[in-house]
Amino acid sequence: MTNNDADEPRRDPEPSREQKVYIALAAIPQGRVVTYGQLGDLAGLPRAARQIGYILRNLPPESTLPWHRVINAAGKISLGPETESGIRQRARLQEEGVVLTNGRISLKHYRWQP
DNA sequence: ATGGTGACTTGGC
DNA sequence: TGCCAAGCCACCA
Protein backbone atom coordinates (compact mmCIF):
# COMPACT_ATOMS: atom_id res chain seq x y z
CA MET A 1 0.00 0.00 0.00
CA THR A 2 1.57 3.11 -1.15
CA ASN A 3 -1.21 5.25 0.15
CA ASN A 4 -1.34 6.22 3.73
CA ASP A 5 -4.54 8.11 4.29
CA ALA A 6 -6.77 5.92 6.33
CA ASP A 7 -4.55 2.94 6.61
CA GLU A 8 -1.55 3.06 8.90
CA PRO A 9 -0.65 5.67 11.41
CA ARG A 10 2.87 6.51 10.28
CA ARG A 11 2.96 9.34 12.82
CA ASP A 12 3.33 8.68 16.50
CA PRO A 13 -0.03 7.48 17.56
CA GLU A 14 -0.98 9.99 20.18
CA PRO A 15 -0.90 8.33 23.59
CA SER A 16 -4.29 7.57 25.01
CA ARG A 17 -5.36 9.12 28.30
CA GLU A 18 -4.57 5.87 30.02
CA GLN A 19 -1.11 5.77 28.50
CA LYS A 20 -0.34 9.26 29.69
CA VAL A 21 -1.50 8.43 33.17
CA TYR A 22 0.46 5.19 33.23
CA ILE A 23 3.63 7.03 32.25
CA ALA A 24 3.18 9.73 34.86
CA LEU A 25 2.32 7.18 37.50
CA ALA A 26 5.38 5.09 36.74
CA ALA A 27 7.57 8.12 37.49
CA ILE A 28 6.43 8.52 41.07
CA PRO A 29 9.29 7.47 43.35
CA GLN A 30 8.89 4.96 46.09
CA GLY A 31 8.05 6.51 49.41
CA ARG A 32 6.32 9.54 47.92
CA VAL A 33 2.69 10.16 47.02
CA VAL A 34 0.67 12.39 44.70
CA THR A 35 -2.98 13.35 44.63
CA TYR A 36 -5.41 12.38 41.88
CA GLY A 37 -5.46 15.94 40.64
CA GLN A 38 -1.68 16.17 40.61
CA LEU A 39 -1.34 12.96 38.69
CA GLY A 40 -3.71 14.41 36.13
CA ASP A 41 -1.57 17.52 35.86
CA LEU A 42 1.60 15.45 35.52
CA ALA A 43 -0.07 13.46 32.78
CA GLY A 44 -1.10 16.61 30.95
CA LEU A 45 -4.75 16.18 31.90
CA PRO A 46 -5.79 19.10 34.06
CA ARG A 47 -9.02 18.87 36.06
CA ALA A 48 -9.17 15.15 35.45
CA ALA A 49 -9.07 13.97 39.04
CA ARG A 50 -12.22 11.90 38.72
CA GLN A 51 -11.01 10.37 35.50
CA ILE A 52 -7.77 9.40 37.18
CA GLY A 53 -9.77 7.55 39.77
CA TYR A 54 -11.70 5.80 37.06
CA ILE A 55 -8.53 4.80 35.24
CA LEU A 56 -6.87 3.49 38.38
CA ARG A 57 -9.91 1.46 39.23
CA ASN A 58 -9.67 -0.16 35.84
CA LEU A 59 -5.97 -0.91 35.85
CA PRO A 60 -5.21 -4.30 34.33
CA PRO A 61 -4.67 -6.83 37.11
CA GLU A 62 -1.21 -7.67 35.78
CA SER A 63 -0.09 -4.07 36.06
CA THR A 64 2.90 -3.34 38.27
CA LEU A 65 2.25 0.40 38.38
CA PRO A 66 2.44 2.05 41.81
CA TRP A 67 -1.25 2.94 42.00
CA HIS A 68 -1.02 2.86 45.78
CA ARG A 69 0.97 6.12 45.73
CA VAL A 70 -2.11 8.06 44.70
CA ILE A 71 -4.13 9.66 47.48
CA ASN A 72 -6.75 12.38 47.64
CA ALA A 73 -6.30 16.09 48.22
CA ALA A 74 -7.16 15.67 51.88
CA GLY A 75 -4.07 13.53 52.31
CA LYS A 76 -6.05 10.36 52.80
CA ILE A 77 -6.65 7.06 51.05
CA SER A 78 -9.83 7.30 49.03
CA LEU A 79 -10.59 3.61 49.05
CA GLY A 80 -12.68 2.32 51.91
CA PRO A 81 -10.49 1.16 54.78
CA GLU A 82 -12.42 -2.10 54.85
CA THR A 83 -12.10 -2.87 51.18
CA GLU A 84 -9.47 -5.26 49.97
CA SER A 85 -7.81 -2.66 47.80
CA GLY A 86 -7.85 -0.12 50.58
CA ILE A 87 -6.16 -2.54 52.91
CA ARG A 88 -3.58 -3.40 50.28
CA GLN A 89 -2.87 0.27 49.58
CA ARG A 90 -2.29 1.01 53.23
CA ALA A 91 -0.01 -2.00 53.57
CA ARG A 92 2.05 -1.11 50.53
CA LEU A 93 2.49 2.47 51.62
CA GLN A 94 3.62 1.32 55.00
CA GLU A 95 6.13 -1.00 53.36
CA GLU A 96 7.56 2.01 51.58
CA GLY A 97 7.85 3.93 54.80
CA VAL A 98 4.93 6.23 54.17
CA VAL A 99 3.50 7.01 57.56
CA LEU A 100 -0.21 7.36 58.17
CA THR A 101 -1.21 9.33 61.22
CA ASN A 102 -4.91 9.03 61.94
CA GLY A 103 -5.48 7.96 58.37
CA ARG A 104 -3.58 10.92 57.01
CA ILE A 105 -0.30 10.95 55.11
CA SER A 106 2.43 12.55 57.15
CA LEU A 107 3.76 15.77 55.66
CA LYS A 108 7.16 14.22 55.08
CA HIS A 109 5.83 12.22 52.17
CA TYR A 110 3.07 14.52 51.18
CA ARG A 111 2.88 15.25 47.49
CA TRP A 112 5.81 14.57 45.27
CA GLN A 113 7.01 17.15 42.74
CA PRO A 114 9.04 16.08 39.71
C1' DA B 1 -29.46 12.60 23.18
C1' DT B 2 -29.88 12.51 28.33
C1' DG B 3 -29.44 11.93 32.91
C1' DG B 4 -26.90 9.26 36.69
C1' DT B 5 -22.42 7.93 38.72
C1' DG B 6 -17.97 8.44 40.89
C1' DA B 7 -10.39 5.53 43.73
C1' DC B 8 -12.02 13.90 42.96
C1' DT B 9 -11.29 19.08 44.24
C1' DT B 10 -12.25 23.51 46.00
C1' DG B 11 -14.41 27.16 48.51
C1' DG B 12 -17.37 28.54 52.33
C1' DC B 13 -18.87 28.05 56.98
C1' DT C 1 -10.81 20.38 62.14
C1' DG C 2 -14.80 18.67 59.52
C1' DC C 3 -19.14 18.77 56.68
C1' DC C 4 -21.61 20.59 52.41
C1' DA C 5 -22.59 22.28 47.95
C1' DA C 6 -20.79 23.08 43.38
C1' DG C 7 -17.96 22.22 39.84
C1' DC C 8 -15.85 18.90 37.10
C1' DC C 9 -15.73 15.36 33.11
C1' DA C 10 -15.46 10.51 31.00
C1' DC C 11 -18.25 6.59 31.05
C1' DC C 12 -22.53 4.02 30.83
C1' DA C 13 -27.50 2.58 30.48
Side-chain angles (χ1 to χ4, degrees), chain A residues 33-34 36 56 66-72 76-80 83-96 98 100 105:
Chain A
V33 297
V34 297
Y36 293 87
L56 293 187
W67 55 268
H68 56 283
R69 297 179 191 144
V70 186
I71 61 173
N72 63 33
K76 300 184 187 173
I77 290 174
S78 285
L79 294 164
T83 70
E84 212 172 313
S85 296
I87 293 170
R88 187 160 51 234
Q89 180 169 19
R90 204 187 324 139
R92 289 197 186 181
L93 286 175
Q94 185 174 321
E95 286 175 48
E96 298 189 352
V98 175
L100 293 170
I105 303 296

Side-chain angles (χ1 to χ4, degrees), chain A residues 10-30:
Chain A
R10 94 204 74 90
R11 270 292 185 165
D12 326 338
E14 192 157 329
S16 65
R17 270 191 223 68
E18 292 87 342
Q19 292 291 338
K20 291 179 176 179
V21 172
Y22 295 163
I23 292 169
L25 182 54
I28 302 170
Q30 175 180 231

Side-chain angles (χ1 to χ4, degrees), chain A residues 33-78:
Chain A
V33 297
V34 297
T35 68
Y36 293 87
Q38 275 187 317
L39 184 54
D41 292 340
L42 293 171
L45 304 169
R47 288 176 241 64
R50 304 193 81 134
Q51 281 55 249
I52 301 299
Y54 179 88
I55 290 171
L56 293 187
R57 193 182 63 189
N58 285 279
L59 279 181
E62 65 272 20
S63 170
T64 59
L65 291 170
W67 55 268
H68 56 283
R69 297 179 191 144
V70 186
I71 61 173
N72 63 33
K76 300 184 187 173
I77 290 174
S78 285

